[in-house]
Amino acid sequence: MSLPPPTAVLEGGRKAAIQSRRKNLTFDKVSFMAVFLGIPLAIYLVFVIWPFLQAFVYSLTDWSGFSPNYKFVGLDNYARIFTDDQFLKALSNNVILLIVVPLVTVVLSLVLATLVTVGGSSKGQVKGLRNSSFYRVVSFFPYTIPAVAIGIMWGQIYDPSGGLLNGALNALGLNFKDYAWLGNTNTAMWCSIFVIIWGFVGFYMVLFIAGIKGIPAELFEAARIDGAGRFRTAVSVTIPMIRDNIQTAYVYLGIFALDAFVYMASLFPNAGGPENSTLVMSQQLFFTAFQRGQFGMATAMGVILALATLLFSGLVFLVNKLTGGSEGGRL
Amino acid sequence: MTLLKQKTVPVGHIEREAKSTPGDRAVAATSHVVLAIWSAIVVLPLLWTFMSSFKTSNEIFASPFALPGAWKLDNYIKAWSEAGIGAAFINSVIVVGVSLVLVMLLGAMCAYVLARFTFRGSRIIYVLMLAGLTFPIFLAMVPLFGVLKGMGLLNQLPGLIITYVAFALPFTVFFLFAFFKNLPGEIAEAAAIDGAGEWRTFFQIMLPMARPGLASVAIFNFLGLWNQFLIPVTINAGGPKVLSQELFAFAQQMGYAVDFGALFAAVTVTVIPVLIAYILFQRQLQGSVSQGTSR
Amino acid sequence: MNVQQSFARRGFLRGALATAVLAPMGGALASCASGGGTTAGPTGTVSDTNPFGVPDNSTVDAVIFKGGYGIDYVDFAGSIFNKNHQGSTAKINPSTAISTELQPRFAGGNPPDLVDNSGAQSIGISTILDQLEDLQPVVDAKNLEGTPIKDTLYEGVLAPGTFNGKLVAINYVLTLFGVWYSASLFEANGWTPPKTWDEAYELGEKAKAKGKYLFLWGKEAASYYLELALSSAIKEGGDEVRVALENLKEDSWKHPALTKVFEALDKHVKAGHFKPGGSGTAFTAAQAQWSNGQEALLYPSGSWIENEMKDQTKADFKMTGAPVPTPSSSPKMPYEALHSGGGEPFIVPSQAKNKAGGKEILRIMLSKDAAANFAKTKLAPTVVKDTVPADGFGSTALVSQTKMLDAAGKNVFNWQFLDLYGMNKDVLVVWNAFLDGKSNAANLANDMQKMSDKIRNDSSIKKVEIK
């Protein structure tokens, strides 16, 4: 490879810096660490972790959620979850989301971010596309809309009789009259996935643009001088340099895909879509908690959800490490 | 290390006016087409929502795509008066504003330490942060209610603020971690050699360098908190209402009353301040490619 | 900060160590520490004008679901309360998310004094049954005019709020179910609402000839057709159909009456009498296609439909209700028999601080002035009789409701199991598929039976025996 190996250079420098700092525990350093870690952690532990830990205890009970009484039932709730065919169905739907949503969103937003930042002239300094800020600003718009509103809006767009989609398809001469996009098992999931991606791409596009702008210009210059084309530059400079951002995005999207509550609940109010084809775990959890009054069971589902998410994150970190990510995963 | 020296000289500066090659133009044209298509997919539904907010429900159901008969503000007046937006808007600005400043500061501090120092337990803290993102919030609302009640912060804006900060913290740390990790270490190293302490290094060097990342995470946090519904509806039900509480309640009621025009108006009212905030802030994300390191 | 922390920790340890029933952590602790759970509260002097002994200078904390009916009708009662009880005030708070907002307050032993438990996010009633006050004293009490309230109510309106023999919820709004149609459209075409499913089929064919459908539905409201089917089958087969379903009996969905109704509906589906695409249409949009676009003739719904669609109903539509058709022309219950339920269930939690105040507001609401005000402003009857004048405030739907109720007399019925066991979500899935033509009568019965069986066999779900 004729390109300078960027990560290696930076890693070396960073490790050296860290090494040298570790040696002397000055007052400056101790006070710094205490304040910088102590305050955020204290708030976090009291208002997030502690309530979650209490909630975890509920998962071992038969608590209804409303009454002041409950009994401990050990791991019964966990055992029962895996005999609940609806929960298992929801789990498999979440797995589909988990595979598709992060992949498509990350790839699409990476492509768009690359077009915006390095789509300009191939000569001289790396330049963004002319007037590209318009695209960046516009793409972000969906993220500003509350998910509930997005659900209502797209519900109308997919409407069989008066919706934008069927209207457009019919205008093109295709006969889609009365086709219920959200009412058929073979389209409901994919239509929902599209809505989710629509809502998220702008977010990650902006994030990746920020990441790409943080890359020292010299790396691009060097690649140029070495005669690397645009595609090559993107693959060998951009992606490795914003690797941690991509990993973060992937994990966060995965967390979202394992939840997906607001989108699914607003696209399919009160139900799990046609033949439960869009039912997700968090919906099942919500129904169990509030309609069935089995809060203990619902909390156990929440714990499973959290474990699944952590497992997924661990997997992403592992993959990043195996493919040569900087400093490997943090897990 | 040689990279560092070049930084002070903007290399490409003179070539800015370089002529485009035909290949460039083709790539630029393709890029424009791809981006324009995506923009259209994004914008059309939004324009449709905006247009619908001026229509009566009758007009919406009669033909979802016809222009409104008259561009009347009735729906907005209804949303404004019935949803009590005035006071709620001010409450939201206070709560979200203060929470945002706090969470960005605390989050940046925490992420910085986790990303740039290795010490015993750092991984555990990181995983703990990650774990906070994975558990459904509403399962924690009952215990959280208890915690706030015990502190006397229930139904009060400070209680809401500290809860917002706590729940936005894992997200903030998680994203800023990646940004701080990607920053070149040489500059901090150079600062240390110059005799700058940890505090100065952070506030004067590292924080400004992470500006694009901070700006994007701040925007995301702003949106998340501005639209946060579950937390205020549970722990602030009897307190001074914030905008999302009023608007979601209004939107939901309009759903029951089948008043779609007013519903879309309520959505537009929620989105507009956020869009303005974004358009103002997004400039922070602009700049030349090298801006990230030349502060 | 330290004090509560140690409180919370103590709660946690108790929770972790104890094995039997005990107080929950966090929120509950504050109330345990300060009072121990039983909240009799101060009571005032009981008298004819104050039957529940509302204490002087007290506050009533009411949380009212703010949906289609708003909350102004409770405000109305609240202002009467303030006038009748000098020094006391009623605080009427709106909520659109009852369960999320009130869960910590129930769990913490600090619930409001009066709750209208309605909406998509209402609390499943079976979860809080034993935390609710018996409301029998309210209906036994005299209203503001001096008549015992129970003598002023419509037939059967207390049944939906009675569980295990205890009246825990008073449904304030009288809801009756039927098929709704445009009297003007029917008149213009010489149509009459069908009394049997055969007549319904003929009507469907006539509608088809006119380029219209007989029925349509929306994805969140596919369950309205379950309501239609159950009403029809109960009228056909008598009360035994209902009792078997209520108690989740084996093969209760295979009763011949139900089979006939399912088959009749299936015939409509296969004949194209349903407007296609309902499983992907929002119910509000679908309903507007009926009330505004007149694309379909009949819509099964509760009597809230007029108020719900008041801005989206074609001028001169003349919305009118009729009883649902039955499979045979000689059903066990008369054709006029009605499914009459209730809307807006009001509950008074036993742990509330001012239970008397909550009951007193209910008593005011059930008195003449407040009930008449509701009927007039919402164009819907309350459970209190004789509040709707003969002209129905100019509403054809309201007039037809009064007529239907009078014709039904004592032949009103109601069921609770669907709400009681939170079956709506699963019902929607099955019924959307059925109305979409992806299932058939036999599969429908099987799917519904499976749902009942699953609940019956789940020992963790508390069953309520219903007579």
Side-chain angles (χ1 to χ4, degrees), chain B:
Chain B
M1 289 295 147
T2 44
L3 289 177
L4 200 66
K5 297 218 176 78
Q6 290 178 4
K7 216 147 276 154
T8 46
V9 191
V11 185
H13 194 66
I14 323 138
E15 286 178 300
R16 200 167 262 280
E17 297 304 315
K19 288 193 195 84
S20 306
T21 64
D24 285 343
R25 263 175 262 135
V27 170
T30 318
S31 304
H32 272 294
V33 170
V34 172
L35 288 163
I37 290 174
W38 181 253
S39 302
I41 294 176
V42 164
V43 162
L44 286 179
L46 298 180
L47 283 179
W48 179 76
T49 306
F50 185 66
M51 185 184 82
S52 299
S53 70
F54 290 97
K55 294 163 81 167
T56 65
S57 297
N58 254 330
E59 286 172 330
I60 290 171
F61 284 121
S63 166
F65 305 109
L67 287 172
W71 294 86
K72 280 190 295 191
L73 289 173
D74 290 15
N75 290 329
Y76 287 89
I77 292 165
K78 197 169 177 181
W80 189 269
S81 60
E82 281 186 28
I85 287 172
F89 190 88
I90 293 168
N91 288 337
S92 264
V93 168
I94 294 170
V95 171
V96 175
V98 175
S99 314
L100 192 62
V101 170
L102 284 176
V103 81
M104 288 313 295
L105 182 65
L106 295 174
M109 286 158 46
C110 190
Y112 176 74
V113 173
L114 288 176
R116 305 201 64 96
F117 295 85
T118 38
F119 56 94
R120 195 187 288 268
S122 69
R123 272 173 201 206
I124 293 170
I125 294 172
Y126 184 75
V127 172
L128 207 61
M129 287 284 171
L130 192 62
L133 287 170
T134 64
F135 203 64
I137 293 187
F138 62 83
L139 292 178
M141 291 324 283
V142 171
L144 184 65
F145 188 91
V147 169
L148 285 165
K149 193 174 170 186
M151 294 185 179
L153 290 173
L154 199 63
N155 291 332
Q156 295 194 14
L157 296 187
L160 202 54
I161 288 172
I162 198 153
T163 312
Y164 274 14
V165 169
F167 277 86
L169 204 57
F171 172 90
T172 312
V173 170
F174 188 60
F175 273 84
L176 287 181
F177 178 86
F179 274 98
F180 280 120
K181 238 182 128 199
N182 279 348
L183 290 182
E186 298 76 9
I187 294 175
E189 175 81 339
I193 291 165
D194 287 351
E198 299 290 355
W199 291 80
R200 242 188 77 198
T201 311
F202 175 74
F203 283 107
Q204 292 192 344
I205 298 168
M206 300 312 274
L207 211 53
M209 265 168 56
R211 210 172 64 183
L214 285 172
S216 44
V217 174
I219 290 170
F220 303 151
N221 266 334
F222 174 80
L223 291 169
L225 296 177
W226 189 260
N227 292 331
Q228 177 56 255
F229 176 63
L230 194 63
I231 294 177
V233 93
T234 318
I235 65 166
N236 192 40
K241 299 270 190 294
V242 292
L243 193 61
S244 56
Q245 272 175 292
E246 296 285 15
L247 277 170
F248 275 88
F250 179 72
Q252 220 165 349
Q253 203 209 346
M254 288 306 105
Y256 284 107
V258 201
D259 192 342
F260 271 60
L263 176 68
F264 286 127
V267 169
T268 310
V269 170
T270 332
V271 170
I272 295 269
V274 173
L275 272 188
I276 292 172
Y278 169 63
I279 289 168
L280 292 178
F281 261 99
Q282 59 89 19
R283 300 215 159 270
Q284 297 292 317
L285 303 170
Q286 271 183 322
S288 74
V289 174
S290 57
Q291 188 207 26
T293 45
S294 64
R295 52 197 264 239

Side-chain angles (χ1 to χ4, degrees), chain A residues 56-221:
Chain A
F56 170 73
V57 175
Y58 292 139
S59 79
L60 305 172
T61 71
D62 67 349
W63 190 41
S64 73
F66 292 88
S67 112
N69 308 319
Y70 52 80
K71 279 200 297 280
F72 277 88
V73 295
L75 295 173
D76 271 16
N77 288 329
Y78 293 91
R80 298 170 66 98
I81 286 173
F82 288 101
T83 58
D84 178 353
D85 51 348
Q86 288 205 4
F87 187 80
L88 296 177
K89 172 79 184 164
L91 182 68
S92 72
N93 288 334
N94 274 120
V95 169
I96 297 176
L97 286 172
L98 190 59
I99 292 168
V100 179
V101 169
L103 186 67
V104 178
T105 311
V106 164
V107 169
L108 189 57
S109 38
L110 205 52
V111 168
L112 294 174
T114 309
L115 290 182
V116 165
T117 46
V118 292
S121 167
S122 63
K123 288 275 151 49
Q125 196 193 21
V126 177
K127 267 192 296 208
L129 198 59
R130 228 172 263 266
N131 303 322
S132 63
S133 58
F134 169 78
Y135 300 123
R136 193 193 59 223
V137 172
V138 163
S139 302
F140 192 75
F141 281 179
Y143 197 73
T144 63
I145 307 174
V148 181
I150 290 181
I152 293 169
M153 196 175 84
W154 280 94
Q156 291 284 312
I157 290 168
Y158 286 134
D159 186 277
S161 337
L164 182 61
L165 182 59
N166 279 353
L169 291 172
N170 289 334
L172 291 174
L174 301 160
N175 185 20
F176 271 96
K177 191 167 160 32
D178 291 334
Y179 187 79
W181 293 94
L182 295 178
N184 282 290
T185 36
N186 31 359
T187 48
M189 186 54 137
W190 300 108
C191 288
S192 314
I193 287 177
F194 179 82
V195 174
I196 294 170
I197 291 171
W198 182 85
F200 270 88
V201 163
F203 180 126
Y204 290 98
M205 191 174 148
V206 168
L207 188 82
F208 290 148
I209 290 173
I212 292 172
K213 290 200 166 161
I215 300 174
E218 296 75 15
L219 291 179
F220 286 111
E221 309 287 339

Side-chain angles (χ1 to χ4, degrees), chain C residues 41 157-158 184 194 202 221 324 343 429 455:
Chain C
V157 293
L158 297 178
S184 55
E202 278 169 42
V324 302
V429 171
I455 296 164

Side-chain angles (χ1 to χ4, degrees), chain C residues 51-249:
Chain C
F52 314 114
V54 178
D56 295 334
N57 302 319
S58 67
T59 311
V60 183
D61 174 14
V63 176
I64 307 302
F65 171 68
K66 191 173 178 186
Y69 294 123
I71 63 158
D72 52 323
Y73 69 100
V74 189
D75 279 331
F76 185 91
S79 59
I80 298 178
F81 175 88
N82 293 347
K83 207 165 58 198
N84 291 359
H85 299 269
Q86 291 294 333
S88 293
T89 41
K91 266 175 41 196
I92 314 295
N93 301 305
S95 169
T96 47
I98 296 284
S99 63
T100 30
E101 182 174 328
L102 295 185
Q103 196 213 2
R105 296 189 57 183
F106 268 94
N110 178 34
D113 306 315
L114 181 67
V115 180
D116 168 15
N117 182 31
S118 300
Q121 287 201 45
S122 56
I123 305 168
I125 193 89
S126 60
T127 9
I128 47 169
L129 273 186
D130 45 7
Q131 288 171 271
L132 297 179
E133 198 67 359
D134 185 352
L135 296 178
Q136 195 60 40
V138 175
V139 289
D140 289 342
K142 287 176 179 165
N143 62 16
L144 296 179
E145 290 76 37
T147 320
I149 287 174
K150 59 179 175 230
D151 297 341
T152 67
L153 303 180
Y154 277 109
E155 195 70 37
V157 293
L158 297 178
T162 307
F163 297 91
N164 291 334
K166 180 176 151 196
L167 178 65
V168 294
I170 293 180
N171 288 276
Y172 189 57
V173 183
L174 181 68
T175 307
L176 47 93
F177 294 83
V179 286
W180 302 83
Y181 62 97
S182 160
S184 55
L185 180 72
F186 270 51
E187 209 172 296
N189 290 285
W191 295 330
T192 49
K195 292 193 170 184
T196 63
W197 283 105
D198 288 338
E199 287 178 33
Y201 190 83
E202 278 169 42
L203 185 60
E205 290 298 304
K206 286 180 195 158
K208 217 192 222 172
K210 288 249 170 197
K212 291 182 189 296
Y213 299 98
L214 185 63
F215 293 117
L216 51 68
W217 87 101
K219 62 186 175 195
E220 308 96 321
S223 47
Y224 290 5
Y225 286 85
L226 169 60
E227 190 284 322
L228 170 68
L230 285 179
S231 289
S232 179
I234 291 168
K235 278 158 67 168
E236 179 73 16
D239 211 37
E240 58 173 82
V241 180
R242 182 187 65 86
V243 174
L245 290 170
E246 291 271 56
N247 296 298
L248 309 166
K249 292 282 184 261

